[in-house]
Amino acid sequence: MLHILLLILKIIGIIIAAILGILVLLVCVVLFVPIRYEARAEFDGTLKGVKARVKVTWLARLFKAIAGYEGQELSWSVRIAWKTMKSGQDDKKTVEKEVEEPPKERKGHPKEDEEEPGLPERTETQLQKTEEDMEKAEAGAVQETKERDSKGTKGKEGIGRKAKGLWEKAKALYRKIKCTFLAFCDRIKLLLEKKERLAEFITDEVHRKAFFKAKDEAFKLLRRLKPKKLAADLHYGFEDPCTTGQVLAGLSMLYPFWGEHVSIIPDFEQKVLEGSLYIKGRIRIIHFVRLMWNLAWCKEVRMTYRHVKEFEL
């Protein structure tokens, strides 16, 4: 009985060890097997002439992805083991015939315009209306004369009311300007306080150590991700010379990683993009895991992370 129990435990142990071995193998494959990439691009100064192709493979090309751009059209292809997917694979073009409805017949025709009758002669009713209009005009003239007489007496009162209204508007404008100025002063004071608080946070010794630690790890990651092959001959420029200068400043930070076969010429006078680019390299997930591990085990980085979460301006 004991022999059978030991045999069962031995089998269970073998199964567990096999499962753990498979898991460890999968983790090692994900971490250490590199993702290989290769990219080519050509530019002739026009959007229609841009040609680009990017290829990414992993695990002995068991996973493969290709993307291309040419003639302002994007195409792609992805293969996972034996399954392949391509752009436009599911597109089905169907031709639909447009059916035009026949014009509807008119059921009837408009009647011809009848001849206009002649103008009627002036009647007694119209004479009466003319007399009433004359009476109303006389009454309106009398009323207008009375209103002119009354305006002379009310002129002084109207001027007083206008002056009072202008004075009230001036006081309201003064109060509005005063409130705006005070709010602007409070805003400046608040910004100065925030600036002092932010400067104090940045210049803290713990935070400075965390910053330099993150900077060193980031440059180590860039060196590990440096392409095996890199060749470029580019002539670029933007409509705004300031943008061209900013791009050049950003590219200059990567100068130590370029190599000898890179030539980038900025143009500060016109918008242009000409030349060619070729890059080939590989990426391992273990490099990113190592970066996160080193940052997580740094005490200053952990403290700075907590302070950042709690920091409020």
Side-chain angles (χ1 to χ4, degrees):
M1 187 67 180
L2 182 61
H3 177 70
I4 296 174
L5 182 60
L6 292 175
L7 181 61
I8 294 173
L9 293 176
K10 182 179 179 180
I11 295 173
I12 294 174
I14 293 173
I15 294 173
I16 294 174
I19 294 174
L20 291 177
I22 293 172
L23 292 176
V24 171
L25 179 61
L26 291 176
V27 171
C28 291
V29 167
V30 172
L31 293 179
F32 294 100
V33 175
I35 301 173
R36 303 180 185 275
Y37 63 90
E38 183 179 5
R40 299 175 182 269
E42 295 180 1
F43 313 96
D44 64 352
T46 61
L47 184 61
K48 293 182 179 180
V50 176
K51 297 179 181 179
R53 186 175 183 271
V54 180
K55 181 175 69 173
V56 179
T57 59
W58 183 62
L59 200 60
R61 298 188 178 183
L62 185 63
F63 299 90
K64 183 178 179 180
I66 299 176
Y69 182 84
E70 185 175 357
Q72 295 184 333
E73 292 185 359
L74 178 65
S75 60
W76 56 270
S77 174
V78 178
R79 188 186 71 186
I80 303 176
W82 61 88
K83 181 67 174 177
T84 303
M85 295 177 289
K86 296 182 179 181
S87 59
Q89 190 175 19
D90 299 332
D91 295 342
K92 296 180 180 180
K93 297 183 179 181
T94 59
V95 179
E96 298 180 357
K97 295 182 179 181
E98 296 183 356
V99 180
E100 297 183 356
E101 297 183 359
K104 296 181 180 180
E105 297 181 356
R106 296 182 179 178
K107 295 182 179 180
H109 299 280
K111 295 183 180 180
E112 296 181 354
D113 296 337
E114 298 179 356
E115 295 182 358
E116 294 182 358
L119 295 175
E121 296 181 356
R122 185 174 293 180
T123 59
E124 296 180 357
T125 306
Q126 292 177 342
L127 293 175
Q128 293 176 359
K129 288 183 177 179
T130 304
E131 293 177 356
E132 291 178 357
D133 293 337
M134 293 176 64
E135 292 177 357
K136 289 180 179 179
E138 293 177 358
V142 174
Q143 183 67 25
E144 186 178 355
T145 304
K146 293 180 179 180
E147 290 179 356
R148 287 177 182 176
D149 295 338
S150 61
K151 283 182 180 179
T153 58
K154 295 181 179 179
K156 295 181 179 180
E157 297 178 358
I159 294 173
R161 285 195 298 269
K162 289 182 179 179
K164 186 177 181 181
L166 290 174
W167 174 250
E168 294 294 334
K169 289 181 180 180
K171 290 196 298 184
L173 180 62
Y174 169 75
R175 287 194 296 268
K176 186 176 181 181
I177 294 174
K178 183 179 178 181
C179 294
T180 304
F181 178 75
L182 293 176
F184 181 72
C185 293
D186 294 339
R187 185 67 176 175
I188 293 177
K189 184 178 179 181
L190 182 62
L191 290 175
L192 291 175
E193 292 177 355
K194 288 183 178 181
K195 180 181 178 181
E196 294 177 357
R197 196 179 307 171
L198 183 61
E200 182 180 357
F201 181 85
I202 294 175
T203 55
D204 186 81
E205 187 65 25
V206 175
H207 301 160
R208 288 174 58 85
K209 289 182 179 180
F211 171 76
F212 286 113
K213 177 66 175 178
K215 179 182 176 182
D216 293 340
E217 293 297 330
F219 276 99
K220 288 180 182 178
L221 179 63
L222 289 176
R223 283 193 292 269
R224 296 185 182 114
L225 299 179
K226 181 181 179 180
K228 294 176 63 178
K229 295 181 180 181
L230 177 60
D233 185 9
L234 297 175
H235 175 213
Y236 81 96
F238 295 91
E239 293 180 355
D240 186 4
C242 181
T243 305
T244 304
Q246 291 174 353
V247 172
L248 181 63
L251 293 175
S252 63
M253 298 177 62
L254 303 176
Y255 182 78
F257 309 97
W258 281 354
E260 301 177 355
H261 305 286
V262 176
S263 174
I264 298 179
I265 303 174
D267 193 326
F268 295 92
E269 297 181 356
Q270 59 179 342
K271 181 180 179 181
V272 63
L273 180 58
E274 298 175 343
S276 60
L277 173 67
Y278 175 76
I279 183 171
K280 182 179 180 180
R282 55 190 181 183
I283 300 173
R284 287 188 172 90
I285 306 298
I286 187 63
H287 298 326
F288 297 94
V289 175
R290 183 182 298 176
L291 171 69
M292 300 303 297
W293 178 270
N294 292 337
L295 292 179
W297 280 96
C298 179
K299 181 177 67 175
E300 289 80 8
V301 173
R302 294 198 305 270
M303 293 178 62
T304 302
Y305 176 73
R306 289 196 299 267
H307 294 168
V308 169
K309 291 179 63 177
E310 300 172 356
F311 181 74
E312 293 182 1
L313 286 174

